[in-house]
Amino acid sequence: MFIKRFIAPFVLIASALGAPAVVDLEARQGCSPLKLVHVAGTTEIGLGIVGTPLSIALATAVPGTTTHSITYDTTAEYVVTVAAGAAITASYLSTQSALCPNTRFVLSGYSKGALVLH
């Protein structure tokens, strides 16, 4: 009886007070309106020759844009590493779209990175 009369209302009030935090979850996670996901070319590291200027241009055109470079094996092998890169990319996009459902993604790839995205 004590629990129903005194504790339960306290739990409901605490839950209601915490509700706005759930609404702001996306903002607290650092979700951006636009995210560039770039896959580098053969032997490149990070954003490489194409991803770097594209990232700068998008950030200038769309304030708040963020960039992510897919880390995968960029050696000159075009079967196993391309499939592995595609799996890494798909996993990243799946996770990010679940965490940040309002974020839009721009996918780019250069050379071997284009094969990964294809």
Side-chain angles (χ1 to χ4, degrees):
M1 183 72 161
F2 175 77
I3 292 175
K4 286 183 183 178
R5 289 191 95 160
F6 297 105
I7 303 296
F10 177 73
V11 171
L12 289 174
I13 290 169
S15 296
L17 292 175
V22 175
V23 174
D24 295 330
L25 180 62
E26 193 169 322
R28 287 183 297 144
Q29 290 175 336
C31 297
S32 61
L34 184 69
K35 178 170 278 207
L36 169 64
V37 178
H38 181 74
V39 186
T42 306
T43 69
E44 287 190 320
I45 297 171
L47 293 173
I49 194 170
V50 170
T52 300
L54 180 57
S55 176
I56 293 167
L58 279 174
T60 301
V62 182
T65 297
T66 57
T67 300
H68 178 78
S69 175
I70 298 294
T71 302
Y72 77 111
D73 183 354
T74 61
T75 58
E77 188 283 321
Y78 299 96
V79 178
V80 175
T81 58
V82 169
I88 292 166
T89 303
S91 175
Y92 176 79
L93 290 171
S94 176
T95 300
Q96 287 302 302
S97 62
L99 291 172
C100 301
N102 295 321
T103 296
R104 294 181 183 251
F105 297 91
V106 173
L107 305 179
S108 70
Y110 174 67
S111 185
K112 182 178 176 179
L115 290 174
V116 169
L117 290 177
H118 188 277

